[in-house]
Amino acid sequence: MLTKTRARGGALIGVLALMGGLGIPTAASAVEAPLVIEDPVRLESGHIDAFNLILNEDDTPRLVLKEDVTGTHVLRTPESVELAVKSQSFSTGFPAAAVPPGAPTSFYHLPLTQDWNLIWPGWDTQGVQSAFPGADTKISVAVDGPGQVYLWTQGLWGAPASLLVDGGYSLPGTIDQPFPAHTHANWAFTEPGTYKLSAQATVKSGDGAKTAVTNSASYTFVVSPIPTAVTVTGADAVVAAGDNVTLSAAQIPAESSFNEYAWSTRNSDTDAWQAVAGANSATLTVAAAEGAQYRVAVSGGQDFASGSAKPLVVESEPVKIQVAAPSVQTIAIGKLAHHYHSNSPINLSVTGDPAVENGTYRWFLQRSDQAAPVQIEGATGASHRLTAEQALDGAQVTAELIGEGATVLATASAVKISVNDHGAAPLQKVSVSGIADHYHSGDTVQLSASVTPASVLNRYEWYVQKQGEAAPILVDGANDASYSFAASEELNGAAVIAKLSYDDGRPYVESAPVVVKLDDHHGGEVPETDLTIKTNRAADDYWVGQGATLTAEQSTPTGLSEYQWWVKLPGADSFAAVDGQTAATYKFKPSLANSGIQVKVQLLHNGKVHAESKPVTITAKQREIATVLNVTTDKHSYVPGDVAKLTSTQTPQTDHDHYHWYIKRAGATDFVWVDQSRDKDLAYPVTAEDAGAQLVLRLFDETHAVLAESAPVTLSVTTSGENPVPETTLTVEGLAAGYYAGDTAKLTAVQNPVTGEDHYHWFIKRAGDADYSVISGARGAELKHEVKTGDAGALIVAKLYGHGHKVIAESQPVALTVLPGSAKPSKAPQAQSESALDHTQAGGISLSTKAPVQGQVVSVQLGKGNERAGEWIAAWMFSEPKLLGNDWVQVAADGSIAVTIPADLPVGAHRLAVFDAAGQVIGWEQLQVSAAGTGGGTTPGAKPGDVKPGAVKPGGTAGDKAGAAGSGLAKTGSELPIGIGFASGLLLLAGTGTVLLQRRRNTTPID
């Protein structure tokens, strides 16, 4: 609490006298005295008039303290002030000529001239001269303390001069101040501790006419001792290398107050001490290092014996930071299972000793085919998951713990993965995409291989078996997932196989063959044909709302597949080409506006018209309106980001409940379907682009004819100013090369750079749509869209929105490719046995050869046409049941498939059977398999049974293949007579180049 008393200052009397001299009226009462503060305070430096005289209101003198430390001329009661004499005031070896007689040469010295780091005490008697002109003041001072107190000034040539009445230099005594003055002096305290000084002043006017005695005031001087030692703490604990350690210096005795610190360090007992730059406080924080020593020096005061008044220095003993012996960091990968089955998870985890928190790792995998470990991309955590597959059998996994600067802190011992499917084939299936129905000479055949499920292998080998050849030949240098070449007559009918292989070239799994087919049409040899248009209705008239599907049909198949559709709108003078409509089918929506439209189609050959249909006229009629649709909205106005809720009613109510909603945005020419809207009510996410958009609802019957249409509802969308939106680009990833109807397209919108915004909308524009429509429910970065037949060629875009629902970024459109046929069955083909053929006559399929060799590709025609094009079938070889290709095979556009005769199939008679997706027999044929390199296959111009050398893989020979193949025979096939087999062996051993084998006649004729 701030407490003050008041006394009257002599200066105020002078002011009043001046006012009277100027004729200014003065108050009869005395002037209020100045404030004197009684709150406790400690003063450690600055100007102080310890014995300061002022006048009370009754003109009696008062002894107070005045200081300029906390303010200017602040008056305080002496009893409320503690005057600190710091340790650095200590002086030793003081020159004898400057020391008062009888005083020691070492003491705590407050000099005559001000030292800004110390208190500067003195006295001021000028404050009473208005009541005591020429004031002659005697200040009597008594001392109670641990030592002596000296007081003096400086005389001629710097010699000490007394300020006391008795001419002495030590207190107790009486200070002689014969005239009003502001005075400072030398003070000396011989011992540290607390000194109590009692003072009382006697004031007499200069003419001696007036005398008064002040109050008795008590003063406290606290003298801090100089340090005799300094200690350093903080180095006792054992810490890890590099940890921060804070060292603290403490002066002894604790009251010591030298304020200059200097730290130094050395690496060992034999090294020189080095100053620690910038270390000038009582604490020092350093990084712990093995063997490092530290000490501190504190300094203050003055040592005149040195001749230059250097400061006194006290230095600590050295301390050494205790650094723990570095622990050896180890890491280990957890124990793996005895073995894994394909497609099961292999959970890898690494632990550290000592434990590691938030560590960064590198994982490495070395398969049996790899010469060195390969880093697993993206694996940086303490755990990683692999999916088991047979290619990982025998693979070794290691991990590294990474520190700063990518330094390796620890490496785990390798663990070995064992994958055992107990004789089953790998789960991975390779498929080849990109094959066209046919090519022209010079066209580029661009093929791509993919594997499902994913594999750790990524090396492919491509093989080509030309027509008439007995085995596929490796394509040198083609080891990527893609393979391209120019179509030529030589490659007409060639089978292409992609094999996923190990890095050392060993095959892992292979694809079903795809067949390259050429159709150059030989100029004028393309057969003539009549072109007609077939509609999806019995008549050419449609109800409004129904979709028209027009299909071009050739009376005589030509092999040509490029079309151009043309339309002539009512009132138009001529036909106009329909952009992008070059397939055999053309779909559009008849309306009242285009009723009477004429449509024709042209068949093109090398860009020229080969045939042209007669036009068909498509008309549209509106069915009788069965009800009135009324649409209401939940709000009059929306802001971007709202969900507009539209509800509808029928008047009168009907039994029909097939609805679609349509939208036409400002500037658009037509309404487009709101994607997936099939209910009477609609929850529509509003965007800024929807301002002024119109929504209508249509009701349809079971044939999709419009029964009623609501009046348009216009969306009112208000937007406000927004903060600047971040800039980014948006790309759509995950698009597959093609989808079957019913597949799910999984797309992801990717920001670059990432903005932190996560509000998306996805939009679709199908063929024939005038504008994009929002995909209902798709508001995140990922889109899962069920593909339908009508999505062929549909464009999809993603848009990213800010907080105010303003578009930040829009992706480029991606186009959906809808593949012909149905999606591949999700389950593997059901197991078949040869008994399934017992009651079925041979036929239903035809083979390109019935006498193949092991490893040869055989073309299989299903039926007589292409009625099974796009279907998924399973091809089996009997008697030992073997699924060819280990997977489903899709029938090509011409109704054929290609299969590879297994290289390990025993020679002899077998039956090749084809089953549909339901497991029913499509057809079968018998064939006779020969050993690779011994003949078989029919070369154009050659007779069945002619010897044809087999293809040789790198590192092997035809003889190698023949010898290996001859070791096994089909259980239901023919066997070689022992004598002939022995004789053939002798011929081989003799080095003959011809093998003459007489086949045993079979009961079933073989071509």
Side-chain angles (χ1 to χ4, degrees), residues 935-979:
T938 302
T939 303
K943 298 177 182 179
D946 283 354
V947 176
K948 174 165 177 47
V952 180
K953 294 183 181 179
T957 66
D960 293 338
K961 289 188 174 183
S967 62
L969 299 176
K971 291 188 176 180
T972 57
S974 62
E975 299 178 352
L976 296 176
I978 295 176

Short mmCIF file of all heavy atoms in Angstrom, two decimals, residues 935-979:
data_model
loop_
_atom_site.label_atom_id
_atom_site.label_comp_id
_atom_site.label_asym_id
_atom_site.label_seq_id
_atom_site.Cartn_x
_atom_site.Cartn_y
_atom_site.Cartn_z
N GLY A 935 7.53 -82.29 -84.32
CA GLY A 935 6.54 -82.22 -85.39
C GLY A 935 5.24 -81.72 -84.83
O GLY A 935 5.17 -81.14 -83.78
N GLY A 936 4.15 -82.01 -85.53
CA GLY A 936 2.85 -81.52 -85.12
C GLY A 936 2.64 -80.15 -85.67
O GLY A 936 3.55 -79.45 -86.09
N GLY A 937 1.40 -79.73 -85.68
CA GLY A 937 1.07 -78.45 -86.27
C GLY A 937 1.08 -78.58 -87.78
O GLY A 937 1.77 -79.40 -88.36
N THR A 938 0.32 -77.77 -88.42
CA THR A 938 0.23 -77.84 -89.88
C THR A 938 0.69 -76.53 -90.48
O THR A 938 0.08 -75.50 -90.24
CB THR A 938 -1.21 -78.14 -90.32
OG1 THR A 938 -1.61 -79.35 -89.71
CG2 THR A 938 -1.30 -78.27 -91.82
N THR A 939 1.78 -76.58 -91.18
CA THR A 939 2.28 -75.42 -91.89
C THR A 939 1.60 -75.32 -93.24
O THR A 939 1.42 -76.34 -93.91
CB THR A 939 3.80 -75.52 -92.08
OG1 THR A 939 4.41 -75.67 -90.82
CG2 THR A 939 4.35 -74.28 -92.76
N PRO A 940 1.17 -74.11 -93.65
CA PRO A 940 0.51 -74.00 -94.95
C PRO A 940 1.35 -74.66 -96.04
O PRO A 940 2.55 -74.41 -96.17
CB PRO A 940 0.39 -72.48 -95.15
CG PRO A 940 0.35 -71.94 -93.75
CD PRO A 940 1.24 -72.83 -92.96
N GLY A 941 0.70 -75.51 -96.82
CA GLY A 941 1.40 -76.21 -97.90
C GLY A 941 2.03 -77.51 -97.48
O GLY A 941 2.54 -78.26 -98.30
N ALA A 942 2.02 -77.81 -96.18
CA ALA A 942 2.60 -79.06 -95.70
C ALA A 942 1.50 -80.03 -95.34
O ALA A 942 0.37 -79.65 -95.14
CB ALA A 942 3.49 -78.79 -94.49
N LYS A 943 1.88 -81.30 -95.27
CA LYS A 943 0.91 -82.33 -94.91
C LYS A 943 0.94 -82.55 -93.41
O LYS A 943 1.96 -82.39 -92.76
CB LYS A 943 1.26 -83.64 -95.63
CG LYS A 943 1.20 -83.53 -97.14
CD LYS A 943 1.61 -84.83 -97.78
CE LYS A 943 1.61 -84.72 -99.31
NZ LYS A 943 2.04 -85.99 -99.94
N PRO A 944 -0.21 -82.95 -92.87
CA PRO A 944 -0.22 -83.28 -91.44
C PRO A 944 0.83 -84.33 -91.13
O PRO A 944 0.98 -85.30 -91.85
CB PRO A 944 -1.64 -83.80 -91.21
CG PRO A 944 -2.46 -83.20 -92.30
CD PRO A 944 -1.55 -83.10 -93.48
N GLY A 945 1.55 -84.12 -90.04
CA GLY A 945 2.57 -85.08 -89.64
C GLY A 945 3.94 -84.71 -90.12
O GLY A 945 4.92 -85.32 -89.71
N ASP A 946 4.05 -83.68 -91.04
CA ASP A 946 5.38 -83.26 -91.48
C ASP A 946 6.16 -82.75 -90.28
O ASP A 946 5.63 -82.10 -89.39
CB ASP A 946 5.29 -82.15 -92.53
CG ASP A 946 4.91 -82.71 -93.89
OD1 ASP A 946 4.84 -83.95 -94.00
OD2 ASP A 946 4.67 -81.91 -94.82
N VAL A 947 7.44 -83.02 -90.29
CA VAL A 947 8.28 -82.57 -89.18
C VAL A 947 8.54 -81.09 -89.31
O VAL A 947 8.90 -80.60 -90.37
CB VAL A 947 9.61 -83.34 -89.17
CG1 VAL A 947 10.52 -82.81 -88.07
CG2 VAL A 947 9.35 -84.83 -88.97
N LYS A 948 8.33 -80.34 -88.21
CA LYS A 948 8.63 -78.90 -88.18
C LYS A 948 9.42 -78.60 -86.92
O LYS A 948 8.99 -78.93 -85.84
CB LYS A 948 7.35 -78.07 -88.20
CG LYS A 948 7.63 -76.58 -88.03
CD LYS A 948 6.45 -75.75 -88.41
CE LYS A 948 6.68 -74.28 -88.18
NZ LYS A 948 7.93 -73.78 -88.67
N PRO A 949 10.59 -77.99 -87.04
CA PRO A 949 11.39 -77.70 -85.84
C PRO A 949 10.61 -76.82 -84.88
O PRO A 949 9.93 -75.89 -85.30
CB PRO A 949 12.63 -76.98 -86.39
CG PRO A 949 12.67 -77.34 -87.84
CD PRO A 949 11.25 -77.56 -88.27
N GLY A 950 10.74 -77.12 -83.59
CA GLY A 950 10.07 -76.29 -82.58
C GLY A 950 10.90 -75.07 -82.25
O GLY A 950 12.10 -75.02 -82.47
N ALA A 951 10.24 -74.09 -81.70
CA ALA A 951 10.94 -72.87 -81.28
C ALA A 951 11.79 -73.18 -80.06
O ALA A 951 11.43 -74.01 -79.24
CB ALA A 951 9.94 -71.78 -80.97
N VAL A 952 12.88 -72.51 -79.97
CA VAL A 952 13.82 -72.77 -78.88
C VAL A 952 13.91 -71.55 -77.98
O VAL A 952 14.14 -70.45 -78.47
CB VAL A 952 15.22 -73.12 -79.43
CG1 VAL A 952 16.18 -73.39 -78.29
CG2 VAL A 952 15.13 -74.32 -80.36
N LYS A 953 13.72 -71.75 -76.71
CA LYS A 953 13.89 -70.65 -75.75
C LYS A 953 15.37 -70.38 -75.56
O LYS A 953 16.21 -71.25 -75.80
CB LYS A 953 13.26 -71.02 -74.41
CG LYS A 953 11.75 -71.16 -74.45
CD LYS A 953 11.22 -71.46 -73.08
CE LYS A 953 9.72 -71.63 -73.10
NZ LYS A 953 9.18 -71.94 -71.75
N PRO A 954 15.70 -69.17 -75.09
CA PRO A 954 17.11 -68.86 -74.85
C PRO A 954 17.73 -69.86 -73.88
O PRO A 954 17.14 -70.18 -72.85
CB PRO A 954 17.05 -67.45 -74.22
CG PRO A 954 15.77 -66.88 -74.72
CD PRO A 954 14.83 -68.04 -74.84
N GLY A 955 18.90 -70.37 -74.26
CA GLY A 955 19.60 -71.30 -73.38
C GLY A 955 19.24 -72.75 -73.59
O GLY A 955 19.78 -73.64 -72.95
N GLY A 956 18.28 -73.06 -74.46
CA GLY A 956 17.88 -74.45 -74.69
C GLY A 956 17.98 -74.80 -76.15
O GLY A 956 18.28 -73.98 -77.01
N THR A 957 17.71 -76.07 -76.47
CA THR A 957 17.72 -76.54 -77.85
C THR A 957 16.47 -77.34 -78.12
O THR A 957 15.78 -77.78 -77.20
CB THR A 957 18.95 -77.42 -78.12
OG1 THR A 957 18.82 -78.60 -77.34
CG2 THR A 957 20.25 -76.70 -77.76
N ALA A 958 16.19 -77.51 -79.42
CA ALA A 958 15.04 -78.32 -79.77
C ALA A 958 15.19 -79.72 -79.21
O ALA A 958 14.22 -80.33 -78.76
CB ALA A 958 14.86 -78.34 -81.29
N GLY A 959 16.39 -80.25 -79.23
CA GLY A 959 16.62 -81.57 -78.68
C GLY A 959 16.32 -81.63 -77.20
O GLY A 959 15.78 -82.60 -76.68
N ASP A 960 16.70 -80.55 -76.47
CA ASP A 960 16.39 -80.49 -75.05
C ASP A 960 14.90 -80.63 -74.82
O ASP A 960 14.43 -81.36 -73.96
CB ASP A 960 16.89 -79.17 -74.46
CG ASP A 960 18.40 -79.10 -74.46
OD1 ASP A 960 19.03 -80.17 -74.51
OD2 ASP A 960 18.92 -77.96 -74.41
N LYS A 961 14.12 -79.84 -75.60
CA LYS A 961 12.68 -79.86 -75.42
C LYS A 961 12.10 -81.23 -75.74
O LYS A 961 11.23 -81.74 -75.04
CB LYS A 961 12.02 -78.82 -76.32
CG LYS A 961 12.29 -77.40 -75.86
CD LYS A 961 11.45 -76.46 -76.68
CE LYS A 961 11.58 -75.05 -76.16
NZ LYS A 961 10.71 -74.13 -76.89
N ALA A 962 12.57 -81.83 -76.82
CA ALA A 962 12.03 -83.12 -77.21
C ALA A 962 12.31 -84.17 -76.15
O ALA A 962 11.44 -84.95 -75.78
CB ALA A 962 12.62 -83.55 -78.56
N GLY A 963 13.51 -84.14 -75.61
CA GLY A 963 13.85 -85.12 -74.59
C GLY A 963 13.00 -84.96 -73.36
O GLY A 963 12.54 -85.93 -72.77
N ALA A 964 12.77 -83.71 -72.95
CA ALA A 964 11.97 -83.48 -71.74
C ALA A 964 10.54 -83.89 -71.95
O ALA A 964 9.90 -84.48 -71.10
CB ALA A 964 12.05 -82.00 -71.35
N ALA A 965 10.01 -83.55 -73.13
CA ALA A 965 8.61 -83.85 -73.38
C ALA A 965 8.37 -85.34 -73.50
O ALA A 965 7.30 -85.84 -73.17
CB ALA A 965 8.15 -83.12 -74.64
N GLY A 966 9.32 -86.08 -74.00
CA GLY A 966 9.10 -87.50 -74.23
C GLY A 966 9.03 -88.32 -72.98
O GLY A 966 8.74 -89.51 -73.03
N SER A 967 9.28 -87.71 -71.82
CA SER A 967 9.29 -88.48 -70.58
C SER A 967 7.91 -88.77 -70.05
O SER A 967 7.75 -89.55 -69.13
CB SER A 967 10.11 -87.75 -69.52
OG SER A 967 9.50 -86.50 -69.26
N GLY A 968 6.86 -88.12 -70.58
CA GLY A 968 5.52 -88.35 -70.05
C GLY A 968 4.54 -88.54 -71.17
O GLY A 968 4.63 -87.91 -72.20
N LEU A 969 3.51 -89.39 -70.99
CA LEU A 969 2.49 -89.64 -71.98
C LEU A 969 1.13 -89.41 -71.38
O LEU A 969 0.91 -89.59 -70.19
CB LEU A 969 2.59 -91.08 -72.50
CG LEU A 969 3.92 -91.47 -73.18
CD1 LEU A 969 3.88 -92.94 -73.53
CD2 LEU A 969 4.15 -90.63 -74.41
N ALA A 970 0.16 -89.00 -72.26
CA ALA A 970 -1.20 -88.82 -71.78
C ALA A 970 -1.77 -90.15 -71.32
O ALA A 970 -1.54 -91.18 -71.94
CB ALA A 970 -2.07 -88.23 -72.89
N LYS A 971 -2.55 -90.11 -70.24
CA LYS A 971 -3.11 -91.35 -69.72
C LYS A 971 -4.06 -91.99 -70.70
O LYS A 971 -4.22 -93.19 -70.73
CB LYS A 971 -3.81 -91.09 -68.38
CG LYS A 971 -2.84 -90.76 -67.26
CD LYS A 971 -3.53 -90.70 -65.92
CE LYS A 971 -2.52 -90.46 -64.81
NZ LYS A 971 -3.16 -90.41 -63.48
N THR A 972 -4.78 -91.16 -71.50
CA THR A 972 -5.70 -91.72 -72.48
C THR A 972 -5.15 -91.61 -73.88
O THR A 972 -5.85 -91.83 -74.84
CB THR A 972 -7.05 -91.01 -72.41
OG1 THR A 972 -6.84 -89.62 -72.63
CG2 THR A 972 -7.68 -91.19 -71.05
N GLY A 973 -3.89 -91.22 -74.04
CA GLY A 973 -3.30 -91.06 -75.37
C GLY A 973 -2.56 -92.30 -75.82
O GLY A 973 -2.53 -93.32 -75.14
N SER A 974 -1.91 -92.20 -76.99
CA SER A 974 -1.19 -93.34 -77.54
C SER A 974 0.17 -93.47 -76.89
O SER A 974 0.72 -92.51 -76.36
CB SER A 974 -1.02 -93.14 -79.05
OG SER A 974 -0.27 -91.99 -79.31
N GLU A 975 0.75 -94.67 -76.95
CA GLU A 975 2.08 -94.93 -76.44
C GLU A 975 2.96 -95.46 -77.56
O GLU A 975 2.50 -96.16 -78.46
CB GLU A 975 2.03 -95.96 -75.31
CG GLU A 975 1.20 -95.50 -74.12
CD GLU A 975 1.14 -96.57 -73.05
OE1 GLU A 975 1.61 -97.69 -73.32
OE2 GLU A 975 0.60 -96.28 -71.98
N LEU A 976 4.22 -95.13 -77.51
CA LEU A 976 5.15 -95.62 -78.52
C LEU A 976 5.53 -97.06 -78.19
O LEU A 976 5.82 -97.37 -77.04
CB LEU A 976 6.41 -94.74 -78.55
CG LEU A 976 6.19 -93.28 -78.97
CD1 LEU A 976 7.52 -92.54 -78.84
CD2 LEU A 976 5.66 -93.20 -80.37
N PRO A 977 5.59 -97.95 -79.23
CA PRO A 977 6.10 -99.31 -78.98
C PRO A 977 7.51 -99.24 -78.42
O PRO A 977 8.30 -98.39 -78.80
CB PRO A 977 6.07 -99.97 -80.36
CG PRO A 977 5.04 -99.19 -81.13
CD PRO A 977 5.13 -97.80 -80.62
N ILE A 978 7.79 -100.15 -77.50
CA ILE A 978 9.08 -100.11 -76.81
C ILE A 978 10.24 -100.17 -77.78
O ILE A 978 11.20 -99.42 -77.67
CB ILE A 978 9.18 -101.26 -75.79
CG1 ILE A 978 8.13 -101.05 -74.68
CG2 ILE A 978 10.57 -101.36 -75.20
CD1 ILE A 978 8.07 -102.18 -73.68
N GLY A 979 10.10 -101.05 -78.77
CA GLY A 979 11.20 -101.20 -79.71
C GLY A 979 11.47 -99.94 -80.49
O GLY A 979 12.62 -99.55 -80.69
#
